[in-house]
Structures are given as C-alpha cells and as structure tokens.
Amino acid sequence: MTSKKYFEACDNFVKAVDVANEVLLNYPHGRTKEDIDGDIEINNKRRDLALYAEKEFQTMQCLNSLVEAFFTYFQECVGPDVEEFWRRIKEANLPYERENKLEKIMKRGRIRNDIEYDYVVDTIVPFQQEGIISEDDVKKLNDMIEKFENKRRRL
C-alpha cells in the first residue's frame, strides 16, 4: 500500500512543477517558445509519472528520482527565472531548498564523485561569467578537477 508520506511528497512535487511551468512562461530568459514548450512538456511528463505511477512505482525512491531530475535546472542554473522559481517555492511553503553544491565542494576542497565532477565542469564557466565565482575560485576548482581526473585515471 502506498504511504501517506508518498502522497504528501507527490502533492508537493506537483505544486513545484506548476510553479516551474508558470515561471518558465513568464521569465523566458533567452529561451525560444519551442524551448519553453519542450521544458514544460518534460516537467508535465515527470509530474504525470509521479501522479499516475503503477502501484509498484509509488515509492519514495522512485519519486525522489523524478524530483532530483526535475530540480537539476533550478539547482544548477542562474538567472531571473531561477530566482523567481525559488522565491515562489518559498512563498508557497514547499519543502524544497536551493542547495549550493559548489559551496559545499569548495569548503571540502575536493570533488568526491562523478556527479560532482560533472556539476563543476558544467557550471564553472557560466558561474565565472556571471560573477558568482572569483578567479581564485576558478583556479581552486580547476585544481580539484585535475586531481579528480588523475585519481580516476589511476583506478
């Protein structure tokens, strides 16, 4: 039997998807109408997978994988659309928070796994261009990237 916790989490996820779709329509942030329509279609497919999942897939693990995939853009990107999304999430009292993955990696001083590696490689240039990270941060991150790649080669 599906848990109450699943249904509550699913309801919150559906609300977050609705917020995202509204924000994408109102803050195109350089995207074409086709791009926005495609993003909304993907969001709605994820929402529907959660809402109409077969009984055996109505688990927190399955839902969390949909949530993680959905939030990737809003966790890793910057811009007025992302800022508005997080403002509305907070305003709606939804149980999601923006995670500063880069800050955690910088504090730790190393990249732990392939997911963090991909994140750093994907975000280092745009974050530098947006002024989110300094030249010193870029140097530190490049050192961490090099160390991680060397470690991976040895395995």
Side-chain angles (χ1 to χ4, degrees), residues 2-53:
T2 306
S3 71
K4 181 180 175 184
K5 183 178 176 183
Y6 175 87
F7 288 118
E8 289 173 2
C10 187
D11 185 51
N12 287 328
F13 178 57
V14 167
K15 290 174 184 174
V17 169
D18 291 342
V19 167
N21 289 345
E22 287 176 30
V23 168
L24 290 170
L25 287 169
N26 293 318
Y27 295 82
H29 192 58
R31 289 187 295 270
T32 66
K33 181 181 179 344
E34 292 79 22
D35 290 339
I36 293 167
D37 290 346
D39 290 343
I40 290 172
E41 183 178 340
I42 290 168
N43 290 346
N44 290 341
K45 283 182 181 179
R46 288 183 178 132
R47 179 200 61 212
D48 291 348
L49 282 170
L51 280 173
Y52 307 114

Side-chain angles (χ1 to χ4, degrees), residues 90-117:
K90 186 174 184 177
E91 185 178 89
N93 290 321
L94 292 173
Y96 306 109
E97 289 185 20
R98 190 169 193 179
E99 180 182 349
N100 191 336
K101 292 180 185 180
L102 194 59
E103 184 177 295
K104 289 179 180 179
I105 294 167
M106 293 292 290
K107 278 184 181 177
R108 187 182 329 112
R110 68 179 178 86
I111 297 170
R112 285 189 306 191
N113 55 40
D114 288 338
I115 294 169
E116 287 186 354
Y117 172 82

Side-chain angles (χ1 to χ4, degrees), residues 76 117-126:
E76 296 183 2
Y117 172 82
D118 290 340
Y119 173 76
V120 171
V121 169
D122 290 347
T123 59
I124 192 169
V125 172

